[in-house]
């Protein structure tokens, strides 16, 4: 089978980056006319959170376009996810993939084989274990693939991944 590369939508990421930077600017404006200490704290939190989010999204767009590395690479043996760190999901470890919806967003949940699921949990650090447990309670899977802003429908991606299992 052929290797499939799936990129994020640059327009959606650019829109999100600009929206985040606009909120950071709004927070900075709050600092120019503080009404209380609480407003100052909220303004700084807004500047840091939205400012870093906007800069990160711009970084992601540039990194993806300049390096040519897609968000998802699907090979015969695995799925490679380029996020904050690279994650490799081996098809040999996966029982199935499933589309799950949480609020208005769709994700592809990764259901590992029983022994692998426990192994992944044991290998994770404290924060990683907490995130895996949270994911398990929210979408009934330790890990998932976000499908918002990519160039493929969640159901189509899920079907493609399940085909690669067999």
């Amino acid at each position: 089978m052929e290797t499939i590369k799936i990129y994020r939508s640059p327009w959606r990421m650019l829109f999100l980056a600009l929206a985040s930077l606009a909120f950071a600017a709004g927070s900075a404006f709050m600092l120019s006319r503080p009404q209380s200490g609480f407003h100052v704290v909220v303004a700084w939190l807004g500047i840091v959170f939205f400012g870093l989010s906007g800069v990160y999204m711009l970084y992601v767009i540039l990194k993806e376009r300049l390096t040519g590395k897609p968000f998802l690479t699907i090979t015969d043996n695995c799925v490679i996810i380029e996020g904050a760190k690279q994650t490799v999901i081996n098809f040999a470890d996966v029982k199935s993939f499933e589309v799950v919806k949480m609020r208005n967003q769709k994700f592809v949940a990764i259901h590992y084989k029983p022994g692998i699921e426990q192994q992944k949990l044991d290998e994770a650090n404290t924060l990683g274990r907490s995130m895996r447990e949270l994911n398990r309670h929210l979408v009934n899977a330790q890990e998932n693939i976000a499908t918002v802003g990519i160039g493929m429908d969640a159901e189509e991606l899920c079907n493609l991944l399940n085909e690669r299992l067999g």
Side-chain angles (χ1 to χ4, degrees), residues 7 61-70:
Y7 293 88
I61 294 168
L62 288 172
K63 177 184 165 194
E64 199 170 274
R65 295 300 164 209
L66 294 176
T67 64
K69 284 187 177 181

Side-chain angles (χ1 to χ4, degrees), residues 8 10 12-21 49-64:
R8 291 181 180 98
R12 180 176 174 86
M13 293 298 289
L14 186 60
F15 172 75
L16 291 173
L18 293 175
S20 291
L21 294 173
F49 177 77
F50 290 112
L52 289 176
S53 296
V55 169
Y56 176 74
M57 286 180 217
L58 290 173
Y59 165 76
V60 167
I61 294 168
L62 288 172
K63 177 184 165 194
E64 199 170 274

Side-chain angles (χ1 to χ4, degrees), residues 3-105:
T3 297
I4 298 170
K5 296 180 178 185
I6 302 170
Y7 293 88
R8 291 181 180 98
S9 166
W11 298 112
R12 180 176 174 86
M13 293 298 289
L14 186 60
F15 172 75
L16 291 173
L18 293 175
S20 291
L21 294 173
F23 277 109
S27 297
F29 180 73
M30 281 178 59
L31 266 183
S32 68
R33 298 175 186 209
Q35 296 175 359
S36 68
F38 176 74
H39 283 91
V40 171
V41 171
V42 170
W44 275 110
L45 289 174
I47 291 169
V48 170
F49 177 77
F50 290 112
L52 289 176
S53 296
V55 169
Y56 176 74
M57 286 180 217
L58 290 173
Y59 165 76
V60 167
I61 294 168
L62 288 172
K63 177 184 165 194
E64 199 170 274
R65 295 300 164 209
L66 294 176
T67 64
K69 284 187 177 181
F71 172 61
L72 290 174
T73 303
I74 304 170
T75 69
D76 292 339
N77 303 321
C78 66
V79 178
I80 302 166
I81 305 167
E82 294 289 340
K85 65 175 190 166
Q86 187 182 68
T87 305
V88 178
I89 312 279
N90 293 310
F91 289 131
D93 297 341
V94 177
K95 181 171 59 173
S96 67
F97 295 95
E98 171 191 20
V99 174
V100 292
K101 189 172 181 181
M102 190 168 55
R103 298 195 182 179
N104 293 331
Q105 296 183 1

